[in-house]
């Protein structure tokens, strides 16, 4: 589905275990393999606590997996150290859910945008004003916002500043962690449109974490569905209606009807998601799955290809 020559980052069999009380272990990511392609968006979706943010944090080296490798430009990110790690970081940027908390409130927007460029010696201090204006305009904000402080801006404007700061380093991959979920729906739409426009202009790969399948299907080229640390389905964004895994189908059924058709039943998944400390044997979705069989209770299903760019981890297929 994607051209392998555009592959820029590949995570292979990534697992992360955390020690927990009573000698137990919490497996936040279990054998996750995903690929990121130039100019394409991979949407990673799942309920809160499913491990999607934990996984994306490995890509910017805010954490390291217990097992597996993450190949970027031929190097395993999990093994990089010191100056080599610092230099590599500039090519993979992250935009967080709440940019307000990731900005220094005492810094002007000019300094917030230019700080990483100065850190990597890409610009001189005397160039800050022109550079900040250039990137403000790239994210469709007035150049004179450079003199403002973050607290004098709206949530949507702050998120644009976070995007300006991320693209200033000309990254090859941007990770967006629930980057629009704190915004009003109308503002969400304008931010997504901006991200898609910048992606086309700059040919950037994007990893977009979300819990809203309705939002992500509108722009992601590929969607990976995560459940209790496991990838249970990968499919093209345009084919989301063809999702086969019972969990993805439940997520699809839970999308609120935009036409406000209340005659359509809003589906929900019965019961709560189990604790990641208490993952059931066999298929992780088995306690909530209406199609569960004896095999599902004892055998962990592996991802199988069932169509072009479409893989599913379920014994039904
Ligand atoms: Fe349901 Fe079994 Fe498929 Fe798991 S493997 S999703 S329990 S049918």
């Amino acid at each position: 589905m994607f051209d392998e020559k555009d592959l820029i980052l590949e995570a292979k069999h990534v697992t992360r275990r955390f020690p927990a009380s009573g000698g137990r272990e919490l497996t936040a990511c279990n054998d996750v393999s995903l690929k990121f392609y130039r100019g394409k968006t991979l949407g990673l979706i799942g309920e809160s606590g499913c491990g999607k943010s934990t996984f994306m944090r490995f890509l910017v080296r805010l954490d390291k997996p217990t097992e597996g490798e993450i190949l970027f430009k031929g190097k395993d990110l999990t093994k990089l150290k010191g100056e080599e790690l610092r230099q590599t970081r500039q090519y993979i940027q992250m935009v967080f859910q709440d940019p307000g908390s990731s900005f220094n409130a005492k810094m002007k927007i000019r300094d917030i945008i230019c700080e990483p460029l100065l850190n990597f010696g890409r610009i001189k201090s005397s160039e800050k004003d022109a550079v900040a204006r250039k990137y403000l305009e790239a994210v469709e904000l007035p150049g004179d916002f450079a003199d403002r402080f973050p607290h004098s801006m709206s949530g949507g404007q702050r998120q644009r500043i976070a995007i300006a700061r991320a693209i200033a380093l000309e990254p090859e991959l941007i990770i967006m962690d629930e980057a629009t979920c704190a915004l009003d729906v109308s503002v969400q739409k304008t931010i997504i449109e901006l991200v898609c426009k910048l992606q086309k202009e700059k040919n950037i790969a994007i990893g977009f974490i979300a819990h809203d399948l309705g939002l992500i299907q509108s722009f992601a080229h590929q969607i990976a569905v995560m459940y209790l640390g496991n990838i249970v389905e990968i499919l093209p964004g345009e084919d989301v209606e063809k999702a086969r895994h019972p969990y993805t189908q439940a997520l699809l059924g839970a999308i609120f009807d935009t036409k406000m058709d209340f005659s359509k039943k809003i589906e929900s998944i019965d019961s709560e998601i189990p604790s990641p400390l208490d993952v059931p044997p066999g298929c992780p979705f088995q306690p909530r799955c209406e199609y569960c069989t004896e095999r599902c209770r004892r055998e962990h299903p592996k991802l199988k290809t069932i169509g072009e760019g479409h893989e599913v981890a379920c014994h039904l297929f």
Side-chain angles (χ1 to χ4, degrees):
M1 185 186 140
F2 299 132
D3 195 333
E4 288 301 304
K5 77 174 172 13
D6 291 329
L7 177 66
I8 59 160
L9 185 144
E10 182 172 12
K12 290 179 161 180
H13 307 293
V14 167
T15 292
R16 178 67 164 111
R17 295 187 203 91
F18 295 97
S21 58
R24 294 189 295 170
E25 267 188 344
L26 185 154
T27 305
C29 286
N30 184 32
D31 197 19
V32 173
S33 295
L34 289 174
K35 293 178 174 180
F36 294 79
Y37 293 86
R38 212 176 295 284
K40 305 290 182 200
T41 298
L42 169 73
L44 185 55
I45 184 146
E47 288 163 285
S48 297
C50 72
K52 53 194 189 302
S53 292
T54 302
F55 172 77
M56 291 294 200
R57 285 164 65 88
F58 301 144
L59 311 189
V60 285
R61 268 297 298 270
L62 290 172
D63 190 13
K64 277 198 329 183
T66 321
E67 288 164 30
E69 52 184 15
I70 298 170
L71 302 173
F72 177 70
K73 294 180 168 226
K75 291 178 183 163
D76 185 355
L77 282 181
T78 67
K79 298 205 165 62
L80 296 188
K81 289 184 193 152
E83 185 58 18
E84 195 177 17
L85 174 59
R86 195 182 86 89
Q87 289 297 333
T88 303
R89 276 198 162 121
Q90 57 190 315
Y91 301 110
I92 308 175
Q93 291 293 300
M94 190 149 185
V95 175
F96 294 93
Q97 179 180 342
D98 177 12
S101 60
S102 57
F103 294 160
N104 181 338
K106 293 182 183 158
M107 284 170 79
K108 286 190 172 176
I109 299 303
R110 175 188 300 104
D111 300 310
I112 288 171
I113 292 174
C114 293
E115 187 185 37
L117 291 165
L118 288 166
N119 285 345
F120 285 104
R122 301 260 201 111
I123 60 166
K124 298 186 199 114
S125 249
S126 57
E127 295 171 310
K128 280 198 308 185
D129 201 53
V131 169
R133 282 176 174 272
K134 174 181 152 188
Y135 286 106
L136 280 167
E137 282 160 16
V139 295
E140 298 164 355
L141 288 175
D144 58 11
F145 273 27
D147 271 325
R148 291 198 183 188
F149 288 96
H151 63 80
S152 67
M153 308 184 80
S154 69
Q157 289 168 340
R158 282 200 293 265
Q159 203 54 285
R160 284 173 188 266
I161 301 297
I163 294 167
R165 182 179 155 108
I167 61 167
L169 281 167
E170 294 165 15
E172 296 189 35
L173 170 63
I174 299 181
I175 305 299
M176 306 193 78
D177 187 357
E178 305 266 14
T180 58
C181 77
L183 304 174
D184 290 339
V185 174
S186 58
V187 182
Q188 272 188 11
K189 183 172 179 285
T190 62
I191 297 288
I192 297 293
E193 285 169 353
L194 172 68
V195 168
C196 293
K197 175 174 153 268
L198 292 170
Q199 181 179 50
K200 277 203 188 107
E201 285 171 9
K202 298 175 183 297
N203 208 19
I204 309 170
I206 294 175
F208 198 100
I209 305 174
H211 57 261
D212 181 349
L213 187 54
L215 171 81
I216 217 156
Q217 69 168 345
S218 67
F219 66 98
H221 301 94
Q222 190 182 25
I223 294 175
V225 183
M226 202 164 189
Y227 184 79
L228 277 180
N230 298 270
I231 299 294
V232 296
E233 187 156 19
I234 300 174
L235 75 168
E238 63 196 15
D239 288 345
V240 78
E241 296 293 335
K242 295 182 187 161
R244 306 298 294 276
H245 194 282
Y247 177 60
T248 320
Q249 288 190 337
L251 291 179
L252 268 176
I255 294 176
F256 201 76
D257 190 336
T258 52
K259 295 192 179 72
M260 303 296 275
D261 177 4
F262 291 107
S263 63
K264 181 184 164 215
K265 187 175 166 228
I266 297 174
E267 302 288 346
S268 64
I269 310 172
D270 287 341
S271 72
E272 291 288 313
I273 186 167
S275 161
L277 271 172
D278 203 13
V279 177
C283 172
F285 192 55
Q286 51 106 336
R288 304 170 86 190
C289 181
E290 60 179 303
Y291 308 106
C292 178
T293 64
E294 196 44 48
R295 184 183 178 198
C296 305
R297 291 193 191 91
R298 50 163 215 275
E299 194 182 320
H300 185 96
K302 291 199 162 55
L303 280 170
K304 282 180 222 136
T305 300
I306 61 163
E308 193 180 356
H310 193 172
E311 295 172 69
V312 64
C314 172
H315 294 313
L316 291 176
F317 307 100

